[in-house]
Amino acid sequence: MTREPAVPGEPGDVSELAALTREVARQRAEMDRLQEIAATAAVVERAKGAVMAQTGCSPDATDEILRQRAKAARRTLLEECWIVLGNLTPAPRPDRSPLGDELVDPEADPVPALADDVSDALGRLGRALVRVGTPQALAHCLLGHLGPGLGTDAVMLFALLPGGGLELVGYAGIDDALARQWHQVPPLPGIPALDALRSGQPRWLDGTGTEHAGYPLLGGAPGQWRSQAWVPVWVGEHADVVIGVLRGAGSAFTSRDRRHLVAVARLCAGPLRMFGTRRESPVGPAVDALQAVFERLPVVAFLLTPLRAASGRVEDFRIDAATAEAFDGLGRQGRELLGLRLLECWPTVADEPLWQGFLNTLADGRPYRSDPFTRQRAVAGGTELSTFSARVERLGDQLVVSWFRDGLTGRREHRPADDQRLGNLGWASWNLAAREATWSAQLYALFDRDPAQGPVPLTGLAELALPEDAAALARAVDELVHAGRPCDLQFRIATRSGIRHLRAVAEAAAGADGATVEVHACVQDLTAQRSAELALVASERAMLTQHHVLQAERTVAARLQHALLPLSRRAVRLAGLRVEVSYLPAQSGLSVGGDWFSAIELPYGDALLVVGDVAGHGMDAVATMAQLRFTAKGMVITGSTLTGALARLNTLLLHSRGPHGSATMVLARYRAAERRLVWAQAGHLPPLLVRGGRARCLDRPAGVLLGACDTPLYEEAECRLEAGDRVVLYTDGLVERPGESIDQGLERLMGALEAQARGGHASLDRLLGTVLEGEQRDDVCVLDLRVPQPGEAATA
């Protein structure tokens, strides 16, 4: 391959670098946000598990319990979860208030109501605590949240030792010299921190009241912190940790300040229970310098100090230094491991040969190399299992332990081959001057060629392609060799498994005279991609064809429907009634429905009024509709009763071979001389009567839908109409709406009819516009019948 000297970047490179920097910053912020969400979810789930174990409730009920508790105490859900984790076993409540000496109700909440600003501050602290993993980090977190509101200058965390003294496990706002001075406090009288733990009550020392009497002010120079508070933290049944809040100002802690600090201590019990009260790391410049050296080592390594029992037996090892690559099973890394016990990080080590190797090296000083072992680490929200080998060497009375990934070198050598295999890629190189060629193993697999046959010469590459692609491949190779023109083309070859689609990208390397001396190529298998593309094209064609078929069917069905159901553009007079008809096809779908109507004048001045709905859509529905429409009219005209006609239509559908074997119908006969409307129905919605400004459904006679059974029962109902009455016959598309019942749709329709009656504008078009809101999902057919007032014309 040829190489070209580097040239200065274009002016746009700076903006591209800035854009890349912004994108990296955005992704880091997003990762921090996701980590905080995961940590918050872990706290909530642990608290839910604790409450489930105590109450035996289900997960959903437990979640509701936590939320109700938080709401009742005016706390956030996260605050409530921290408090639950800090009080997994019922803590004995002191008989005195944490704010002073007054008695409190033992069943009452020990923290009085807090001001809104204090509650907000506690909520922010609760969210920040999910990122805290050590007492040292907790001290820094507390200083950051207590400093602005309470004027806090320093925070100290002391843990109670088994012998009764105190150990400084975390601090912020003080220097290392003072931390070493107060690293351990003996169990002497007059120590406010120790007194607070023993009594379980806070100690408020501000130099202005009687509380400070007999207590020296803990700290550095005289008068440096003239105001101090020592608040015990109840973790379970005991108060083993005390929080010291130090202020340079000598002002007294107000009642609001005291409530705030007691609530903070209660909130910190949860994190302290989760990560314990160990010190993060030994203090001192020597340890910091050693850790700085370790952090620059590109391996997994630890510096271990043996922890011996009184008998001299090694019980555990303390991690005094760790590289940035070092980790434990809980996902802690680097500095987060300092001060931890080895068995705290890897509890199973004590049962492995590695532990005996530690002891042997510590005893005789001979280096130890372990057999391969596996370790699991948390990465990106999941876990990863890796194989290591360990090397152990003694350094004074300490051990330096290094972990090396097993077989890492071999995997690196195989990675290019793995990448080619996984990506269906192969590479080739032809040296034209030496007449030599080199193919990768994957390229032989792509061409389905035996490696024993060797690579194919560059000029013979076109012979492997199908005849249809051979000419284009030969032309591209010729231009590559003689003109040095890079090529990128696709071609097909025949293999034992079928036709294979390949893509070849090649470039030429020229010699000193400008002639091509080498050709480097990369070949990729595109068979799967090409097959998917062809399948997609075939699917799109099939969908387009089906769409055209459905569109043609809709067009034919719609024309047939219009031919069978001629609609008048204006109201007509029929047996003394003013009749309006409306048919609205559905706005969605390609198939027309089976809704239909019929309104004709019978002999002797009567009128036949019918509304029906055939199940389904398309040509079959239109054909069934036509059959029912003309048969019903013929039966009634020839003298059949309404119920008799329905019974015969039911028999017709039962013996029909078509797929549409059911339908609903309202069949009505109006006698003008008596203003009597006689009607029957087969599974259809009842007509609506509007009289005197009020709308109601007519009482529905018995009748099952057509095609449902062999022996149906149909009955007639009668209604005498009055001048000004309005009767509406309709199909279910007028009242059906997703998410509501038919009764609700009927109420909406009757409400619209009554509104028109009050307004005096009984327009069918306006009624449909009011009732049909949004998309119309089904066909709608309506017969609007009105009895004219005396002197009113029956036609518009």
Side-chain angles (χ1 to χ4, degrees), residues 376-387:
Q376 196 169 40
R377 67 184 300 179
V379 289
T383 59
E384 177 184 79
L385 192 66
S386 302
T387 303

Side-chain angles (χ1 to χ4, degrees), residues 91-174:
R93 296 180 179 268
D95 58 355
R96 296 186 181 276
S97 167
L99 302 178
D101 296 332
E102 61 272 36
L103 293 175
V104 295
D105 180 5
E107 296 300 326
D109 192 317
V111 180
L114 301 172
D116 291 340
D117 57 340
V118 175
S119 297
D120 293 341
L122 290 174
R124 291 191 296 270
L125 176 60
R127 292 191 297 271
L129 290 178
V130 300
R131 307 298 293 271
V132 171
T134 63
Q136 182 67 14
L138 176 60
H140 284 282
C141 179
L142 290 177
L143 181 60
H145 284 77
L146 298 180
L150 294 175
T152 303
D153 297 309
V155 172
M156 302 176 75
L157 297 180
F158 281 101
L160 190 64
L161 293 173
L166 298 177
E167 180 184 15
L168 182 65
V169 295
Y171 61 91
I174 65 174

Side-chain angles (χ1 to χ4, degrees), residues 25-73:
R26 186 191 66 79
Q27 292 183 0
R28 284 179 177 173
E30 179 65 13
M31 183 172 294
D32 290 341
R33 187 184 70 84
L34 293 177
Q35 289 176 347
E36 182 172 354
I37 291 175
T40 301
V43 173
V44 175
E45 290 303 317
R46 288 188 183 186
K48 287 171 63 177
V51 176
M52 287 172 63
Q54 293 172 347
T55 63
C57 295
S58 65
D60 291 341
T62 302
D63 184 75
E64 184 63 24
I65 289 174
L66 287 173
R67 294 184 183 277
Q68 291 297 332
R69 288 183 184 176
K71 182 178 180 181

Side-chain angles (χ1 to χ4, degrees), residues 181-236:
Q181 178 184 348
W182 292 97
H183 165 48
Q184 285 194 345
V185 179
L188 300 176
I191 304 298
L194 192 56
D195 229 15
L197 284 178
R198 288 172 175 171
S199 65
Q201 302 295 324
R203 290 296 179 259
W204 313 101
L205 312 179
D206 47 43
T208 60
T210 60
E211 297 92 336
H212 71 287
Y215 290 122
L217 292 181
L218 183 67
Q224 181 177 0
W225 293 309
R226 295 180 294 170
S227 178
Q228 301 180 15
W230 298 95
V231 185
V233 180
W234 287 83
V235 181

Side-chain angles (χ1 to χ4, degrees), residues 360-380:
N360 294 339
T361 300
L362 192 62
D364 56 29
R366 288 185 299 180
Y368 168 75
R369 183 66 180 259
S370 75
D371 293 330
F373 59 90
T374 58
R375 287 292 182 266
Q376 196 169 40
R377 67 184 300 179
V379 289

Side-chain angles (χ1 to χ4, degrees), residues 287-312:
V287 173
D288 290 340
L290 183 60
Q291 176 61 24
V293 173
F294 264 69
E295 286 181 346
R296 286 167 173 78
L297 299 177
V299 295
V300 178
F302 307 89
L303 178 64
L304 304 180
T305 299
L307 302 177
R308 301 179 184 271
S311 61

Side-chain angles (χ1 to χ4, degrees), residues 143-492:
L143 181 60
H145 284 77
L146 298 180
L150 294 175
T152 303
D153 297 309
V155 172
M156 302 176 75
L157 297 180
F158 281 101
L160 190 64
L161 293 173
L166 298 177
E167 180 184 15
L168 182 65
V169 295
Y171 61 91
I174 65 174
D175 55 30
D176 292 341
L178 187 60
R180 287 193 296 272
Q181 178 184 348
W182 292 97
H183 165 48
Q184 285 194 345
V185 179
L188 300 176
I191 304 298
L194 192 56
D195 229 15
L197 284 178
R198 288 172 175 171
S199 65
Q201 302 295 324
R203 290 296 179 259
W204 313 101
L205 312 179
D206 47 43
T208 60
T210 60
E211 297 92 336
H212 71 287
Y215 290 122
L217 292 181
L218 183 67
Q224 181 177 0
W225 293 309
R226 295 180 294 170
S227 178
Q228 301 180 15
W230 298 95
V231 185
V233 180
W234 287 83
V235 181
E237 297 180 348
H238 307 284
D240 294 334
V241 181
V242 64
I243 300 176
V245 177
L246 314 178
R247 304 193 302 192
S251 58
F253 288 96
T254 65
S255 177
R256 171 187 174 279
D257 296 341
R258 298 186 181 193
R259 291 191 178 93
H260 189 176
L261 291 177
V262 170
V264 167
R266 190 179 184 190
L267 204 59
C268 291
L272 285 172
R273 172 179 283 276
M274 291 174 62
F275 54 68
T277 57
R278 61 168 180 80
R279 298 181 62 211
E280 181 176 300
S281 64
V283 294
V287 173
D288 290 340
L290 183 60
Q291 176 61 24
V293 173
F294 264 69
E295 286 181 346
R296 286 167 173 78
L297 299 177
V299 295
V300 178
F302 307 89
L303 178 64
L304 304 180
T305 299
L307 302 177
R308 301 179 184 271
S311 61
R313 183 177 61 88
V314 176
E315 294 183 328
D316 205 341
F317 291 87
R318 185 181 67 238
I319 301 176
D320 285 344
T323 62
E325 297 291 328
F327 63 93
D328 72 349
L330 298 179
R332 294 172 289 200
Q333 287 185 289
R335 282 185 174 269
E336 296 178 344
L337 302 173
L338 302 188
L340 288 174
R341 307 292 179 92
L342 181 65
L343 296 182
E344 181 182 348
C345 299
W346 304 107
T348 60
V349 170
D351 300 325
E352 298 176 354
L354 184 61
W355 179 265
Q356 190 60 44
F358 290 167
L359 300 181
N360 294 339
T361 300
L362 192 62
D364 56 29
R366 288 185 299 180
Y368 168 75
R369 183 66 180 259
S370 75
D371 293 330
F373 59 90
T374 58
R375 287 292 182 266
Q376 196 169 40
R377 67 184 300 179
V379 289
T383 59
E384 177 184 79
L385 192 66
S386 302
T387 303
F388 296 91
S389 294
R391 181 175 178 82
V392 184
E393 296 198 26
R394 192 173 71 181
L395 180 64
D397 192 33
Q398 297 175 302
L399 295 179
V400 177
V401 181
S402 304
W403 290 3
F404 301 94
R405 286 187 181 271
D406 188 54
L408 181 59
T409 303
R411 283 199 293 274
R412 286 177 176 172
E413 293 175 353
H414 288 90
R415 169 162 279 186
D418 293 340
D419 292 344
Q420 292 182 60
R421 177 178 52 82
L422 296 174
N424 274 333
L425 295 168
W427 60 267
S429 179
W430 289 273
N431 189 323
L432 304 183
R435 296 185 179 182
E436 296 178 350
T438 304
W439 278 20
S440 69
Q442 186 63 22
L443 191 59
Y444 283 103
L446 293 183
F447 279 96
D448 197 16
R449 182 177 178 85
D450 186 355
Q453 296 179 319
V456 175
L458 183 61
T459 54
L461 196 61
E463 298 176 2
L464 302 179
L466 294 182
E468 298 88 338
D469 301 336
L473 182 57
R475 184 167 54 253
V477 170
D478 184 69
E479 293 178 351
L480 178 68
V481 173
H482 296 94
R485 184 177 302 166
C487 72
D488 183 350
L489 80 161
Q490 299 182 19
F491 60 95
R492 294 166 294 170

Side-chain angles (χ1 to χ4, degrees), residues 460-626:
L461 196 61
E463 298 176 2
L464 302 179
L466 294 182
E468 298 88 338
D469 301 336
L473 182 57
R475 184 167 54 253
V477 170
D478 184 69
E479 293 178 351
L480 178 68
V481 173
H482 296 94
R485 184 177 302 166
C487 72
D488 183 350
L489 80 161
Q490 299 182 19
F491 60 95
R492 294 166 294 170
I493 62 173
T495 67
R496 285 170 293 184
S497 59
I499 301 299
R500 187 168 290 171
H501 297 259
L502 301 179
R503 176 193 178 193
V505 181
E507 64 177 5
D513 57 354
T516 300
V517 295
E518 281 189 341
V519 171
H520 307 285
C522 180
V523 180
Q524 182 181 15
D525 185 359
L526 301 179
T527 304
Q529 176 182 341
R530 186 59 179 162
S531 299
E533 292 174 353
L534 293 175
L536 180 61
V537 171
S539 176
E540 290 176 347
R541 289 177 177 173
M543 290 176 61
L544 186 61
T545 301
Q546 183 66 18
H547 178 81
H548 289 161
V549 170
L550 292 176
Q551 189 65 48
E553 179 182 341
R554 177 182 174 85
T555 301
V556 172
R559 289 179 179 175
L560 177 60
Q561 189 180 54
H562 290 322
L564 296 173
L565 299 175
L567 291 174
S568 174
R569 295 182 177 272
R570 47 188 302 187
V572 298
R573 181 186 180 92
L574 191 64
L577 296 175
R578 184 177 185 273
V579 181
E580 280 189 88
V581 180
S582 179
Y583 176 81
L584 300 176
Q587 298 175 359
S588 61
L590 294 177
S591 298
V592 296
D595 290 22
W596 57 281
F597 70 92
S598 184
I600 61 173
E601 189 163 336
L602 299 173
Y604 310 109
D606 293 349
L608 176 64
L609 307 164
V610 190
V611 168
D613 185 1
V614 176
H617 293 78
M619 289 293 295
D620 292 328
V622 174
T624 303
M625 174 268 291

